[in-house]
Amino acid sequence: MLIAIALPMALGFAIFLSGMKLMELALQQLAGPHLNRVLHRSTATPLHGLAVGTATTAFLQSSTAVTVIAIGLVNAGLLTFPRTLGIILGTNIGTCLTTELIGLSLNKLALPLLAVSLVIWLITVPLTEFRAASLRSTALRRLAIIRSSSVALGGFSMLLAGMAVMQSVGPDVQQSSMFSWFLDQSQTSLWWGLAAGALLTAVVHSSSAVIGIIMGFASIGAMPLELGVAVVLGANVGTCVTALLASIGGSKSGQLVAWSHVALNAGGALLFMPFIGELAAASGWLAHSPASQIAHSQTLFNIASSLIALPLCYLPVFRRLQAA
């Protein structure tokens, strides 16, 4: 039983994370030359920073990438800590796009999307690599954009394929003694779910992967919805670990950026833990499946947490830090 669960789960998880990384790298290649300039110029106020953080994270499909970039800019003196506050709020909103897309249950499109991406990539690579001298610079740039877009599409198809593999072992997981023990413990306290989400995300450095697994369990009825929402809150806390690691050895301002990320996610989780039932009910209003309900709960949680924290970013203490 253990091997029947572990091997497909490990394979699906590896495919999922590989797809996430491939998509992230391709999108960073598309936006990389402009990202630092956009973050520097478009964060005059926390509200502007929130909008920019949301848009860049939704595009790059990685809140961690945008947060780490913000820490790097602060450490380099190109951005001040107060100007990153809105960015941090926006990254939490933008990262919801991945789980919302997974919640659409597009697993059947994995192979067709992968085939399309491979065809586009095979067409563009010879043109950019072997006919570069005969092409104009504008044509080369357009081909490079198309090639990077095809790689991003391929990464997304791998993400869907990995989800399908992980979901296939759901019935076996449901029958395992360890999972039954976890469900029994969670019936006494949903804090077990929050702790599990935080720990798993800290280990794998991907909240989207952890939430994706939970969505798979919810879709087959293996996990109660409120427990799944508790795991989502924990996953948002666990994702702060990467930012903390990136801030080690940096400036004091860079470390403040990482700790503000912790304060937002941990504070939001503590605030919403008593209202998990209400959050689950609200996420069900527009949901068409248990998986999409988990995705909506993350979106509602992150939007609410960021909007609650936004007025705090205008406190005079942060303006004094800006002046300093």
Side-chain angles (χ1 to χ4, degrees):
M1 173 68 76
L2 181 60
I3 296 178
I5 294 174
L7 289 181
M9 184 66 75
L11 176 62
F13 194 69
I15 295 173
F16 184 97
L17 285 183
S18 298
M20 283 284 294
K21 193 62 179 178
L22 190 64
M23 186 167 57
E24 178 184 333
L25 291 174
L27 293 173
Q28 282 187 355
Q29 188 171 5
L30 284 171
H34 314 288
L35 184 58
N36 290 2
R37 185 170 64 253
V38 169
L39 292 178
H40 180 69
R41 293 182 178 179
S42 305
T43 55
T45 68
L47 183 59
H48 290 154
L50 183 145
V52 170
T54 299
T56 53
T57 304
F59 183 80
L60 293 179
Q61 293 293 289
S62 174
S63 61
T64 299
V66 177
T67 302
V68 170
I69 290 171
I71 292 172
L73 291 175
V74 170
N75 286 336
L78 300 176
L79 206 62
T80 59
F81 162 64
R83 291 173 73 108
T84 66
L85 292 173
I87 296 175
I88 298 301
L89 301 184
T91 57
N92 271 21
I93 298 176
T95 194
C96 299
L97 180 61
T98 303
T99 48
E100 289 290 351
L101 289 174
I102 295 173
L104 295 176
S105 301
L106 302 175
N107 295 352
K108 294 180 180 179
L109 297 179
L111 290 179
L113 289 177
L114 182 60
V116 170
S117 66
L118 282 174
V119 169
I120 296 174
W121 186 81
L122 289 172
I123 292 174
T124 56
V125 167
L127 292 176
T128 54
E129 296 296 332
F130 304 112
R131 297 191 57 187
S134 62
L135 295 174
R136 296 180 179 179
S137 59
T138 54
L140 282 174
R141 283 196 298 269
R142 290 172 182 170
L143 284 173
I145 291 173
I146 294 173
R147 183 171 64 175
S148 296
S149 300
S150 70
V151 174
L153 181 62
F156 181 64
S157 66
M158 290 175 62
L159 183 151
L160 295 177
M163 277 299 306
V165 174
M166 287 189 288
Q167 289 177 7
S168 68
V169 300
D172 291 331
V173 172
Q174 192 174 4
Q175 297 174 10
S176 68
S177 57
M178 183 177 294
F179 190 72
S180 298
W181 176 86
F182 173 68
L183 291 181
D184 290 339
Q185 297 299 316
S186 301
Q187 287 178 358
T188 61
S189 175
L190 290 175
W191 289 94
W192 282 91
L194 185 141
L199 180 61
L200 287 173
T201 304
V203 170
V204 304
H205 297 282
S206 175
S207 61
S208 295
V210 173
I211 295 171
I213 293 173
I214 299 305
M215 291 167 65
F217 289 160
S219 67
I220 62 171
M223 179 173 287
L225 187 63
E226 291 188 1
L227 177 57
V229 175
V231 176
V232 168
L233 301 189
N236 279 270
V237 176
T239 196
C240 300
V241 170
T242 306
L244 288 173
L245 292 175
S247 69
I248 294 175
S251 65
K252 182 179 179 180
S253 295
Q255 293 172 7
L256 285 174
V257 176
W259 282 109
S260 66
H261 192 206
V262 174
L264 172 65
N265 289 306
L270 293 175
L271 179 64
F272 276 89
M273 272 300 290
F275 306 103
I276 283 184
E278 290 77 6
L279 182 59
S283 64
W285 292 341
L286 298 175
H288 59 84
S289 67
S292 63
Q293 196 165 351
I294 294 290
H296 293 344
S297 69
Q298 187 205 18
T299 302
L300 290 175
F301 165 70
N302 282 346
I303 291 176
S305 297
S306 294
L307 292 181
I308 290 171
L310 181 61
L312 301 179
C313 299
Y314 287 89
L315 292 175
V317 62
F318 294 122
R319 287 199 293 268
R320 288 196 292 270
L321 284 173
Q322 178 80 45

